[in-house]
Amino acid sequence: MLVYPLQWLVDLPRSTSEWFRESLATRRELQEENASLRTQQLVLNTQLQKLEALEAENRRLRALLDSSFQVGKRPMLIAGLLSVDMDPYRHQIELNKGTLDHLFKGQPLLDSQGVMGQLIHVGPFTSTAMLITDPSHAIPVQVNRNGLRTIALGTGSIDRLELPHIPDNADIRVGDLLVTSGLGGRFPPGYPVAEVNGVEQDPGRAFSRVTARPRALLDRSREVLVVWPPELEGPPRPPPSTADQTGNSDT
Amino acid sequence: MNLTRHHGGTIILLTFAAAMLLTIIPLSDDFRTLRPDWVALTLIFWCLALPYRVSVGSGFIAGLFLDVLTGTLLGQHALSLSLVAYFCVRLHQRIRIYPMWQQALTVLILLILHQLLTLWVDSTIGRPAHPPSYWLPSLIGAALWPLVYRLMTALRVNFSVQ
């Protein structure tokens, strides 16, 4: 909180230039943007229709299988990045929202493409988040194709995650999508995390070397989504939905 | 030492604030890892100039601020900066009379000590090893020392900080 004025001052040139750009945009530019947004919305709406049908079908099938899986909508908040530099050897970002917006420690962070990381420190006006590529970060994931569970570790380079302890005969191949498994209770299940881009089998080693590329635009996003666990979480019967209960009590 | 002799505390605070601003101002990825440690340079200058006002305590507080700003382990920079301040105050009479290049060399050693302590804490808490370019900020900082020294001396004389 004491350092907030400094961060605000450093962020000032960017925020003012953004403000100027927004308020001085020409009519034509606005019209163009409007048109492109309209088409985009149309496309997204069409996709959403399909999604709703799929969701309903999924729920029916889940009901048949007698497992509770919450697809319910989660409350979200868009937070902006402060343009301040952190330690260059740590993958952390500073957000412009804090406890005044009811953020809490450990909350997951997404962008439009996938999972970005989690909050590790929350102040009144700002909060610090650790990205999934930080060397001390690990995220429980699952291969989307067959449900193989594993953990993705950060490596310290912005475009690489590592999947340790995958046996040589495991069914995993290049191009597989990794989604959050929801185990561990921090991240909501089913969000895309990374895409496998290297499987290397070395006969001399017990495990194969698997690397993946994060889906989220970790070094390019300007805005991120902070996600809350749904208020009404089912009873902790099957493992995937036991997640997120600890989160609420932290607030 | 009576209180009336103390002058220009705000100037000292402002230089530290400016150093911290320079520490978090966004740079492109190519230059991020080359950024010299401005706060350490400022601290060294004030420890040499006014060892009875700025010393270990100031280093500790500046370090805590730096930890919060850069998201490192709380106390990491506080530890290394207080040690730097200690050595600086301990040797200030000797360093003051050195010619500029020798002063820059001493500053280089102090900056390397600062980075070494940070690295030590980093590896203790299990961070992976840094590339060799990790040490470049110290060299750049030492190369910039004559400039920093002139500028800060001008400031000090101008506002008669003592």
Side-chain angles (χ1 to χ4, degrees):
Chain A
M1 181 155 172
L2 271 172
V3 300
Y4 179 64
L6 289 175
Q7 291 173 334
W8 178 81
L9 206 63
V10 166
D11 191 49
L12 195 62
R14 187 197 58 81
S15 45
T16 39
S17 74
E18 206 156 85
W19 182 81
F20 267 115
R21 214 178 29 248
E22 267 173 28
S23 48
L24 298 178
T26 62
R27 192 177 129 83
R28 221 172 63 92
E29 271 171 16
L30 284 177
Q31 274 173 341
E32 268 171 24
E33 198 187 337
N34 203 339
S36 80
L37 285 178
R38 216 180 283 268
T39 37
Q40 205 177 344
Q41 200 204 8
L42 202 66
V43 173
L44 288 178
N45 261 342
T46 347
Q47 283 171 359
L48 200 65
Q49 284 170 19
K50 212 165 58 188
L51 181 78
E52 263 166 22
L54 283 175
E55 211 170 90
E57 187 185 344
N58 197 335
R59 216 173 302 137
R60 274 202 308 281
L61 291 174
R62 294 264 177 193
L64 282 179
L65 286 170
D66 196 27
S67 83
S68 87
F69 179 74
Q70 306 260 340
V71 208
K73 299 199 169 41
R74 289 157 187 277
M76 288 186 179
L77 178 85
I78 297 178
L81 259 61
L82 283 180
S83 66
V84 298
D85 266 2
M86 311 285 281
D87 187 304
Y89 297 100
R90 275 157 220 256
H91 293 204
Q92 293 177 351
I93 50 175
E94 196 76 18
L95 305 179
N96 64 359
K97 297 266 160 62
T99 44
L100 289 182
D101 297 283
H102 310 291
L103 304 197
F104 59 87
K105 195 174 162 185
Q107 207 168 6
L109 220 66
L110 312 172
D111 76 351
S112 56
Q113 312 286 317
V115 176
M116 288 189 80
Q118 56 177 304
L119 298 183
I120 53 168
H121 176 255
V122 184
F125 309 108
T126 57
S127 45
T128 313
M130 184 186 273
L131 300 179
I132 51 173
T133 48
D134 189 277
S136 54
H137 194 274
I139 174 170
V141 293
Q142 179 162 47
V143 176
N144 199 28
R145 187 165 48 84
N146 54 14
L148 178 75
R149 284 188 322 271
T150 176
I151 288 177
L153 302 180
T155 57
S157 71
I158 199 82
D159 57 352
R160 209 160 62 94
L161 293 177
E162 222 159 72
L163 278 61
H165 312 309
I166 291 197
D168 274 340
N169 58 358
D171 179 16
I172 188 164
R173 47 182 185 237
V174 173
D176 275 348
L177 178 68
L178 301 172
V179 299
T180 47
S181 66
L183 298 172
R186 275 283 160 88
F187 294 92
Y191 282 95
V193 177
E195 208 175 279
V196 176
N197 65 354
V199 180
E200 206 178 287
Q201 273 153 7
D202 183 356
R205 289 167 184 255
F207 301 106
S208 40
R209 280 172 54 90
V210 183
T211 56
R213 187 188 171 77
R215 283 288 291 270
L217 304 170
L218 293 178
D219 50 352
R220 267 159 285 168
S221 301
R222 274 249 69 108
E223 261 135 15
V224 299
L225 286 171
V226 190
V227 190
W228 270 264
E231 287 88 351
L232 296 170
E233 187 71 68
R237 231 181 346 143
S241 63
T242 54
D244 309 321
Q245 279 163 351
T246 46
N248 255 336
S249 58
D250 277 352
T251 41
Chain B
M1 184 155 310
N2 57 24
L3 280 171
T4 49
R5 278 192 59 195
H6 283 194
H7 256 288
T10 40
I11 294 297
I12 300 182
L13 283 182
L14 279 178
T15 52
F16 272 111
M20 283 173 199
L21 286 184
L22 283 173
T23 311
I24 60 168
I25 227 160
L27 291 180
S28 77
D29 274 358
D30 303 336
F31 298 108
R32 271 186 78 178
T33 50
L34 302 181
R35 186 202 308 268
D37 201 324
W38 295 109
V39 177
L41 284 174
T42 317
L43 181 73
I44 293 174
F45 176 83
W46 287 121
C47 284
L48 290 181
L50 310 164
Y52 46 88
R53 289 192 70 180
V54 177
S55 69
V56 181
S58 326
F60 188 80
I61 293 165
L64 283 184
F65 268 84
L66 206 54
D67 281 325
V68 176
L69 275 175
T70 57
T72 45
L73 188 72
L74 192 69
Q76 187 174 349
H77 283 106
L79 170 72
S80 54
L81 281 182
S82 18
L83 265 163
V84 165
Y86 171 76
F87 283 115
C88 218
V89 171
R90 206 53 216 279
L91 302 170
H92 75 273
Q93 279 168 331
R94 216 181 293 177
I95 301 175
R96 266 187 200 166
I97 55 165
Y98 282 162
M100 193 50 87
W101 65 272
Q102 221 165 328
Q103 232 177 52
L105 268 184
T106 322
V107 168
L108 175 67
I109 293 169
L110 285 171
L111 288 177
I112 285 181
L113 171 77
H114 166 59
Q115 282 204 292
L116 195 67
L117 285 164
T118 319
L119 184 70
W120 178 55
V121 172
D122 263 351
S123 55
T124 308
I125 59 172
R127 314 280 312 180
H130 296 312
S133 63
Y134 173 75
W135 302 102
L136 278 177
S138 284
L139 285 173
I140 294 171
L144 284 176
W145 173 251
L147 194 74
V148 174
Y149 185 81
R150 299 259 155 73
L151 239 160
M152 299 275 273
T153 314
L155 259 182
R156 193 189 152 202
V157 173
N158 206 1
F159 293 96
S160 60
V161 184
Q162 44 187 287

